[in-house]
Amino acid sequence: LNATLLPQELKKHGYDTHIVGKWHLGFCKWEYTPTYRGFDSYHGYYTGAEDYYTHVCPYSFRAAQDIPAGEDKEEDVDLKALGYDFRNDTLVDRTAAGSYSAFVFAEHVESLLSTRDPATPLFLYLPFQSVHAPLQVPQNYSDLYSHVQDRHRRTYLGMVTALDDAVGRIVASLKSTGHYNNSVIVFTTDNSG
C-alpha cells in the first residue's frame, strides 16, 4: 500500500480512471482493491485462471509435479471451485454469469465510453482474461479453425480471434464516441509473448 499506482497519480492530473478485467493484485483487505487504489470504477475479477463463462475460480488440489512436463492432462486434474469471482466496483456482479468474459468486458467499455465526455482525460486499464488458461471459447470461434487437428490449438486460436473481435469493438467505440483521435493504445502481455 506504500506504492503509488499509475491511476492514483493520474487522478491528481484530472483523469478519469477505470479498470475493466483482471485485477490480480490482491484483495485481502478493501484497501488493496481497484477502487481503493486510484480507479473510479472497476468491472472484472480479482483472481486468475477462472472459468470464462461461470466466472468461478477453480483450484487444483493436485500438485503440479504430478503432471509430467509436456503432457496435457487437463481432463484428469481434480478441480475444486473457490467461488464466483466477478465484481462491479466492490459489489458481486452476478449479471456476468454465463457470458464469455471478453464480450462482457467489451460491452462494459462500450457503455462506459458512451456515457462520458471525451474532453476529460481518460486512463482505461483493460487487462483481458484472454488468452489465458483455461482454454475456453464459444464454439463458432473454434469452428473457424476446424482444419487444425489439435483441439487445444483450435480452441486457443478461437480465443485469439474472439479477443481480436472484442478489441475491434472497443476501437470502434473509441471512434464513435469521440475518444479515438486523442488516444494512445498500448498492448502488452501478461506472461511473456
Side-chain angles (χ1 to χ4, degrees):
L1 294 179
N2 61 348
T4 301
L5 300 185
L6 180 59
Q8 293 169 311
E9 191 62 33
L10 290 174
K11 289 298 296 171
K12 297 176 191 174
H13 300 282
Y15 278 74
D16 286 346
T17 59
H18 302 277
I19 176 175
V20 178
K22 181 179 178 179
W23 175 243
H24 218 193
L25 289 177
F27 58 97
C28 63
K29 291 198 254 182
W30 286 118
E31 292 81 5
Y32 288 88
T33 61
T35 55
Y36 289 79
R37 299 305 310 265
F39 287 103
D40 294 321
S41 73
Y42 171 58
H43 191 77
Y45 63 108
Y46 289 150
T47 61
E50 72 175 32
D51 187 287
Y52 281 74
Y53 294 96
T54 66
H55 310 293
V56 170
C57 181
Y59 178 80
S60 172
F61 286 92
R62 208 169 146 197
Q65 62 267 27
D66 288 348
I67 303 172
E71 285 192 30
D72 182 6
K73 300 284 188 182
E74 185 178 330
E75 29 309 306
D76 299 332
V77 175
D78 258 342
L79 296 178
K80 305 293 181 194
L82 288 180
Y84 186 81
D85 180 20
F86 208 88
R87 300 269 173 170
N88 193 16
D89 295 327
T90 59
L91 301 175
V92 173
D93 179 3
R94 296 214 179 263
T95 64
S99 298
Y100 192 69
S101 67
F103 304 144
V104 171
F105 299 149
E107 183 178 334
H108 188 77
V109 171
E110 290 167 332
S111 176
L112 174 72
L113 293 173
S114 72
T115 60
R116 67 175 310 280
D117 180 359
T120 303
L122 169 67
F123 174 63
L124 173 63
Y125 177 52
L126 177 54
F128 276 97
Q129 181 175 6
S130 310
V131 290
H132 192 291
L135 297 180
Q136 296 175 313
V137 74
Q139 187 67 44
N140 60 311
Y141 282 94
S142 60
D143 286 349
L144 295 171
Y145 302 97
S146 59
H147 62 283
V148 175
Q149 295 300 310
D150 183 89
R151 73 178 171 89
H152 294 297
R153 183 74 177 154
R154 262 193 323 272
T155 302
Y156 184 86
L157 293 169
M159 291 170 75
V160 172
T161 302
L163 174 62
D164 286 346
D165 284 354
V167 169
R169 286 174 56 182
I170 291 165
V171 170
S173 185
L174 286 166
K175 290 178 179 179
S176 70
T177 59
H179 290 85
Y180 184 79
N181 289 335
N182 195 24
S183 292
V184 174
I185 301 172
V186 177
F187 289 93
T188 186
T189 63
D190 184 5
N191 298 305
S192 77

